[in-house]
Amino acid sequence: MEIGKTYNPKEAEAKWYPYWMKNNFFASKPDKTKKPYTIVIPPPNVTGVLHMGHMLNNTIQDVLIRRARMLGYNACWVPGTDHASIATEAKVVALLKEKGIKKTDLSREDFLKHAWEWKEKYGGIILEQLKHLGASCDWDRTKFTMQDELSDAVLDVFVDLHKKGHIYRGVRMVNWDPQGLTAVSDEEVIHKEKDSQLVYINYKIKGSSEHVTIATTRPETIMADTAVCVHPEDERYQHLKGKLVIIPLINKEVPVIFDDYIDKEFGTGALKVTPAHDINDYNLGIKHKLPVIDALTADGKISEAAQIYIGMDRFACRKQIIKDLQEQGFVTKIETIKNKVGHSERTDAVIEPRLSMQWFLKMDKISKPALDAVVNDDPEVKLIPEKFINTYKHWMENVHDWCISRQLWWGQRIPAWYDGQGNTVVCKTKEEAFEKLRSTNTEVRMENIKQDEDVLDTWFSSWLWPLTVFDPHIIKNGWDKANEDLKYYYPTNDLVTAPEILFFWVARMIIAGKEYTGQKPFTNVYLTGIVRDKQGRKMSKSLGNSPDPLELIKKHGADGVRVGMLLSSPAGNDLMFDETYCEQGRNFANKVWNAFRLIKGFMVEDIKQTEAQKEAILGFEIRFSEQLELINDNYSKYRMSDALMKTIKLFWDDFCAWYLEAIKPDFIDGQAQPIDKSTYQTTINFLEQLMVIIHPWMPFITEEIWHLIGERKQNDCCIVANWPKSQSLKEDLLKEYDSTKWIITTVRDTRAQKKLSPKDKLELFETSSKPISHFRNFVIKLANLNKYELTSEKIEGTISFIVNDSSFQIPVSVNVEEERERILKEIDYNKGFLKSVQVKLANEKFMNNAKPELVELERKKEADAMGKIKTLEAQLSSLK
């Protein structure tokens, strides 16, 4: 079989992904003879296209699932998409607008027809894009959060939790999107830093020439003020107890109230209280029994309740009211400040706190098992990294009732029914509702029964994801009657997701799992960081700093991009992405390919194996065993970047730079010499093992090489090859092998310093109570020696060095004074370098915040510098 000079990722990707699919390597069915390993994909929005966050998240999932498959687990990775109510409805509304159709001109049924048509046409794009990355999902299990059975389960949960008294309907303060005309959850609010005007306004005290000054960034809401609040211990305002102040422009009288909620040191110490437009003001209003006046309409215009500026846009009103207040002398000053302003993630409209009739889920009792599952000495669910446990604990101990209704049409419609006479029932069908309503209203007619217009929050369906992807009937049937899939695959093993949805999705899945199975939904939660650019900015379309992942794959190959994404992505820490990482990934793929071509290019003959080759094989065997243990340990601790770096180093350094250099045949008179069969076959075996441990990171090139190594049966593929088993580690041999590397490196450095040709053979003498015994020929080959002997004598005219407790001498022509000067300079340089490294390692801030691989790199620098200084000092001593 002809092997290409260069690796062609496009050809390999086009060949092997369909091959894996055709041979059902991704498929999983319950098998009691094998342990399951299960991941459910965080379902991307059906509106989505692949971005860098998806690339990071799904590459990690694929690495975990591929390795589990090779370890012999029945690996199951369930894919799917989320119906994303707000985002999808916005897409469909925009599409209809292009056709000259308004949503308000359509019936609900007609709008949903358009929405489903859009979903069928565009909804699977992101899953198809994941295939380009190499995602080995069981595509036959693909789910969608609004498919019939999954939607049915959502309604079952609503009915069940309402029956248990956990769901209620009431007026509460919510995040309101005036453009989308719906309530949105906290995680759908993006806070942006803005320059705002802080306006200081005088409120006249009734019956007095005095006034109280309040400061606000929202003067357009003063018409809805129902009090001014000050701290009860603020001496400036003690005389105002029982007094009224007059709101400017509308001359409305409101009381001065006293509450220790106020920070008397902040601003003027006096706060305008607007219960309809701020959650804290709303809470003050409830406490002090204040009326609620809503100065804004649902679409962000000034309401009739405001009395003035009626119908004006809220921001236009803000400009106008400041001007009017200034003209009438109420404004004392205006400051420009920076503050965080909430925007709708989907429409980018500025969010309004708004009192609205909504459906809520009580969270106090139902959430407690989910808190205990994570915050425990022996937690059922482990968060990786652990630093997020305190965040989780804080959220769960301060949990608020969950607003689960949305004023949209795309989503699961709330199964609540009204008879028009003030009666409400909760059930799944209109027929059930009719029977229930008849018990309180005998004259109710079927045609008068109306279903609630709202749909459920998208999270109210996705919190069931680990359950309903396996058994959508679990809610009504219960765990005892769960199907075979759920009993086998649940709880799942690992969840890979982002910290920003730790509460909004992860915690809620634990709540649902505990409520309906009594079990956790997963064991480990690996929390990725945010992908940022080199400047530390979050990647976004608006900044134009987010590369197209598919273009990166075209340029660097899927394997190169996968490696590039994971080279520096420790759990929970942000990834500063630079395309050069993908170049490094591509370069590594080329290194793997070139090493493979070198090996396949060997001329194999039935000749005797050399001692150097035997020793090289022994050295790589013990190095591979050592590194495999470390790599497995990194995987077990979810130190993905560390596992990848060790895998790369094992291949690039230990296999290519040391092993292949030691076993490859010499060139004599420009002709490559043959290699013996035993060494060649052992090298092929090493290569196969290396392809296996590289495969989770780089599935395409490893599969290609696997099949080019030799003829294979149809199912003899790298994707299902057995993960190497750890061998007992021979510590004494490993220590000796490491010593030989120091010896060889020092001899090579001496050649460079003395400007000696690499072809010139040198002599080496060792003085030691425990000399190198297993790798002497290995040293001779790689150091290019013609003599390597033991001696107890000090030999004149040599350069000496120490490795561990052994001293070595290389006979070379030496100018003692020049050599002494050179060594002293090198010692000074290395001591200075060592000091700078040790200062960094002594820096508590660096040690607490630096990525683990950076700390490890600095420690390696420290050890290397100390070793170099020791060697140089020994050389200096030998010159005296």
Side-chain angles (χ1 to χ4, degrees):
M1 189 180 294
E2 187 178 345
I3 300 169
K5 186 177 180 181
T6 58
Y7 171 59
N8 188 324
K10 188 175 180 181
E11 285 183 6
E13 290 158 20
K15 180 197 304 182
W16 293 115
Y17 200 87
Y19 187 90
W20 294 328
M21 292 275 287
K22 181 182 176 183
N23 287 279
N24 294 317
F25 289 129
F26 305 162
S28 176
K29 291 181 180 178
D31 180 352
K32 291 181 181 178
T33 67
K34 297 175 78 174
K35 282 187 177 182
Y37 174 85
T38 316
I39 295 177
V40 291
I41 198 171
N45 286 355
V46 74
T47 58
V49 292
L50 201 62
H51 59 60
M52 299 303 286
H54 293 134
M55 293 282 281
L56 174 62
N57 184 293
N58 287 283
T59 298
I60 292 169
Q61 291 177 78
D62 196 45
V63 168
L64 293 172
I65 209 80
R66 284 180 182 273
R67 179 169 177 268
R69 198 178 282 125
M70 298 170 116
L71 284 166
Y73 288 96
N74 186 359
C76 180
W77 184 12
V78 181
T81 50
D82 190 287
H83 65 273
S85 293
I86 296 173
T88 304
E89 187 146 325
K91 288 272 188 184
V92 176
V93 168
L95 187 67
L96 291 172
K97 189 176 180 181
E98 290 175 10
K99 298 178 180 178
I101 304 171
K102 293 181 180 179
K103 178 186 171 184
T104 51
D105 294 337
L106 297 173
S107 67
R108 187 183 196 115
E109 290 70 24
D110 286 340
F111 177 82
L112 288 175
K113 283 180 185 176
H114 285 285
W116 278 107
E117 286 172 6
W118 184 93
K119 185 266 173 189
E120 293 305 319
K121 187 173 181 180
Y122 300 105
I125 289 175
I126 192 165
L127 297 184
E128 289 302 311
Q129 291 176 324
L130 284 176
K131 293 176 182 179
H132 290 279
L133 184 64
S136 57
C137 302
D138 184 348
W139 297 108
D140 291 336
R141 291 183 174 274
T142 302
K143 295 294 189 290
F144 173 53
T145 54
M146 245 178 81
Q147 66 190 70
D148 289 345
E149 286 188 320
L150 271 68
S151 286
D152 205 44
V154 173
L155 302 184
D156 285 334
V157 168
F158 186 95
V159 173
D160 177 66
L161 293 179
H162 183 268
K163 186 178 179 180
K164 290 174 178 174
H166 294 312
I167 287 178
Y168 66 93
R169 189 171 184 244
V171 175
R172 297 288 186 278
M173 185 73 72
V174 296
N175 300 309
W176 185 260
D177 180 344
Q179 186 174 325
L181 297 176
T182 181
V184 296
S185 56
D186 288 344
E187 84 286 354
E188 292 163 327
V189 178
I190 306 299
H191 292 276
K192 301 180 183 180
E193 192 173 78
K194 299 280 186 179
D195 286 329
S196 297
Q197 288 185 309
L198 184 63
V199 186
Y200 289 76
I201 306 170
N202 286 339
Y203 283 32
K204 192 174 183 304
I205 299 168
K206 184 182 178 183
S208 167
S209 59
E210 289 184 81
H211 59 260
V212 174
T213 304
I214 61 95
T216 180
T217 58
R218 304 204 57 198
E220 71 277 10
T221 64
I222 67 170
M223 298 84 77
D225 291 354
T226 54
V228 167
C229 188
V230 295
H231 195 281
E233 295 175 4
D234 194 329
E235 294 180 1
R236 293 172 294 177
Y237 302 117
Q238 293 300 310
H239 65 293
L240 296 183
K241 288 182 178 177
K243 300 287 186 180
L244 299 172
V245 296
I246 301 169
I247 299 173
L249 303 182
I250 59 172
N251 296 319
K252 178 184 173 183
E253 298 173 2
V254 297
V256 177
I257 61 173
F258 291 76
D259 198 289
D260 57 13
Y261 162 75
I262 301 298
D263 180 356
K264 59 184 179 180
E265 304 300 327
F266 182 77
T268 66
L271 175 78
K272 65 188 282 297
V273 182
T274 321
H277 299 290
D278 182 272
I279 183 61
N280 297 312
D281 291 11
Y282 176 66
N283 292 332
L284 276 172
I286 291 174
K287 183 177 179 181
H288 293 274
K289 298 183 172 61
L290 299 175
V292 176
I293 299 169
D294 193 343
L296 294 173
T297 61
D299 59 351
K301 292 183 171 60
I302 305 302
S303 71
E304 291 186 4
Q307 303 177 45
I308 53 178
Y309 308 112
I310 297 166
M312 186 178 287
D313 175 79
R314 54 186 169 153
F315 298 117
C317 178
R318 182 178 298 176
K319 290 180 182 178
Q320 186 61 47
I321 199 169
I322 291 173
K323 182 181 177 184
D324 293 345
L325 288 167
Q326 285 176 314
E327 288 177 354
Q328 295 187 38
F330 290 107
V331 176
T332 61
K333 65 176 177 177
I334 298 175
E335 294 176 349
T336 298
I337 63 166
K338 289 191 180 296
N339 65 337
K340 298 279 189 179
V341 178
H343 289 68
S344 170
E345 183 183 32
R346 301 304 174 191
T347 66
D348 202 41
V350 174
I351 290 294
E352 285 291 343
R354 180 176 174 82
L355 288 170
S356 178
M357 177 67 78
Q358 303 285 346
W359 287 91
F360 295 87
L361 173 60
K362 293 179 185 176
M363 296 293 284
D364 52 353
K365 293 179 182 177
I366 199 173
S367 64
K368 191 174 186 312
L371 173 63
D372 296 338
V374 174
V375 183
N376 236 318
D377 292 337
D378 185 21
E380 290 180 81
V381 178
K382 294 179 181 176
L383 302 186
I384 302 154
E386 292 182 349
K387 69 179 183 179
F388 288 107
I389 292 174
N390 286 336
T391 305
Y392 183 91
K393 183 173 185 284
H394 175 76
W395 276 341
M396 296 298 283
E397 287 180 343
N398 296 277
V399 67
H400 299 292
D401 289 356
W402 175 11
C403 176
I404 56 175
S405 48
R406 297 291 180 269
Q407 289 63 57
L408 301 164
W409 283 350
W410 176 251
Q412 288 94 5
R413 192 171 178 181
I414 290 175
W417 308 83
Y418 310 99
D419 65 358
Q421 302 297 315
N423 299 306
T424 305
V425 294
V426 169
C427 52
K428 287 172 69 176
T429 67
K430 191 172 186 178
E431 289 71 25
E432 288 179 82
F434 178 69
E435 293 301 323
K436 287 193 171 192
L437 287 166
R438 282 179 63 188
S439 64
T440 54
N441 179 7
T442 56
E443 296 183 6
V444 67
R445 298 172 65 86
M446 183 70 85
E447 58 267 28
N448 292 335
I449 297 173
K450 304 295 180 188
Q451 186 175 357
D452 197 299
E453 290 291 324
D454 292 350
V455 299
L456 286 158
D457 179 13
T458 300
W459 297 107
F460 197 80
S461 61
S462 59
W463 75 326
L464 305 176
W465 187 246
L467 293 166
T468 54
V469 294
F470 295 115
D471 185 358
H473 307 295
I474 177 64
I475 308 304
K476 58 186 175 189
N477 291 344
W479 179 254
D480 290 341
K481 295 181 181 178
N483 68 12
E484 183 186 16
D485 266 17
L486 190 65
K487 286 285 182 81
Y488 181 74
Y489 291 112
Y490 188 93
T492 66
N493 295 76
D494 295 324
L495 178 75
V496 182
T497 191
E500 55 261 36
I501 56 173
L502 177 58
F503 173 69
F504 301 107
W505 189 45
V506 177
R508 288 169 178 169
M509 284 190 287
I510 301 174
I511 292 170
K514 285 289 187 178
E515 181 71 16
Y516 290 106
T517 71
Q519 300 181 62
K520 61 188 177 183
F522 28 70
T523 300
N524 302 295
V525 180
Y526 180 100
L527 297 159
T528 66
I530 296 170
V531 183
R532 299 184 181 275
D533 65 14
K534 289 184 288 185
Q535 299 174 46
R537 301 174 303 173
K538 186 176 180 180
M539 287 190 168
S540 69
K541 287 181 183 177
S542 59
L543 288 175
N545 64 345
S546 182
D548 180 345
L550 295 183
E551 288 301 315
L552 287 176
I553 289 173
K554 284 180 185 177
K555 188 174 178 182
H556 303 287
D559 291 337
V561 175
R562 288 165 67 106
V563 168
M565 290 300 301
L566 296 178
L567 272 173
S568 58
S569 56
N573 287 333
D574 292 351
L575 165 63
M576 302 303 173
F577 179 78
D578 187 334
E579 193 174 337
T580 57
Y581 289 138
C582 295
E583 290 173 14
Q584 290 176 41
R586 183 190 65 202
N587 292 342
F588 180 53
N590 291 336
K591 182 71 174 179
V592 171
W593 187 257
N594 290 336
F596 164 65
R597 287 184 70 246
L598 173 70
I599 295 164
K600 291 297 282 185
F602 288 159
M603 184 169 56
V604 184
E605 290 186 6
D606 191 8
I607 57 176
K608 188 178 179 182
Q609 189 179 46
T610 68
E611 292 303 312
Q613 288 169 331
K614 289 179 184 177
E615 292 173 9
I617 288 168
L618 175 63
F620 187 73
E621 281 175 345
I622 58 177
R623 171 65 77 228
F624 184 87
S625 294
E626 177 214 29
Q627 290 302 305
L628 181 62
E629 273 194 29
L630 294 173
I631 289 167
N632 286 337
D633 183 63
N634 287 152
Y635 271 115
S636 71
K637 295 172 180 172
Y638 297 85
R639 297 180 64 130
M640 306 302 284
S641 290
D642 291 349
L644 173 59
M645 291 299 292
K646 285 184 175 65
T647 302
I648 292 173
K649 187 176 182 297
L650 176 62
F651 187 91
W652 200 308
D653 292 352
D654 296 298
F655 184 66
C656 294
W658 292 98
Y659 174 76
L660 288 183
E661 284 298 311
I663 63 99
K664 74 179 182 182
D666 293 327
F667 270 76
I668 299 177
D669 297 329
Q671 294 294 316
Q673 300 304 295
I675 191 170
D676 67 282
K677 287 181 179 179
S678 177
T679 302
Y680 178 76
Q681 190 53 54
T682 302
T683 304
I684 289 294
N685 293 341
F686 286 156
L687 181 65
E688 286 185 339
Q689 287 186 300
L690 288 164
M691 290 305 98
V692 171
I693 66 168
I694 294 171
H695 178 83
W697 313 99
M698 307 179 82
F700 293 108
I701 191 171
T702 50
E703 194 70 79
E704 179 76 359
I705 290 174
W706 186 265
H707 287 268
L708 287 172
I709 285 172
E711 290 296 320
R712 305 277 185 183
K713 292 180 181 178
Q714 183 174 334
N715 288 332
D716 182 2
C717 292
C718 194
I719 188 175
V720 287
N722 291 326
W723 189 261
K725 286 185 166 50
S726 296
Q727 305 297 320
S728 58
L729 196 58
K730 300 169 182 174
E731 296 286 351
D732 55 336
L733 279 179
L734 181 62
K735 184 178 179 182
E736 183 178 325
Y737 182 62
D738 284 336
S739 295
T740 65
K741 289 188 171 184
W742 276 101
I743 296 165
I744 293 163
T745 301
T746 307
V747 172
R748 288 172 174 174
D749 288 346
T750 301
R751 283 183 190 279
Q753 290 161 9
K754 296 300 173 186
K755 299 185 173 136
L756 299 174
S757 169
K759 295 179 181 178
D760 291 343
K761 292 186 179 291
L762 297 177
E763 295 178 351
L764 181 66
F765 295 91
E766 178 181 3
T767 302
S768 176
S769 60
K770 195 174 181 182
I772 299 295
S773 59
H774 295 88
F775 301 102
R776 297 185 72 80
N777 294 288
F778 180 74
V779 174
I780 290 168
K781 171 74 185 285
L782 290 184
N784 193 18
L785 306 176
N786 60 13
K787 185 186 286 186
Y788 179 12
E789 295 179 354
L790 295 174
T791 183
S792 58
E793 305 294 326
K794 171 71 176 73
I795 301 170
E796 293 299 321
T798 63
I799 288 180
S800 64
F801 60 92
I802 293 173
V803 175
N804 295 328
D805 297 323
S806 301
S807 63
F808 297 84
Q809 300 174 78
I810 307 171
V812 290
S813 168
V814 178
N815 181 313
V816 174
E817 289 309 313
E818 286 182 3
E819 186 66 10
R820 180 177 285 110
E821 187 178 345
R822 180 191 68 78
I823 293 171
L824 286 169
K825 282 182 180 178
E826 277 206 58
I827 289 173
D828 285 346
Y829 170 79
N830 280 278
K831 282 184 174 179
F833 177 76
L834 176 63
K835 185 178 179 181
S836 69
V837 172
Q838 289 176 332
V839 165
K840 187 177 281 190
L841 289 171
N843 186 317
E844 191 174 333
K845 187 175 179 182
F846 171 77
M847 296 299 287
N848 290 336
N849 298 317
K851 296 174 183 177
E853 63 268 25
L854 288 180
V855 174
E856 189 176 331
L857 178 63
E858 293 302 316
R859 283 182 173 144
K860 185 177 184 306
K861 288 179 184 177
E862 180 186 39
D864 288 349
M866 291 170 73
K868 193 76 180 286
I869 291 166
K870 186 178 179 182
T871 298
L872 289 166
E873 286 176 341
Q875 290 178 8
L876 185 66
S877 177
S878 71
L879 293 176
K880 293 176 182 178

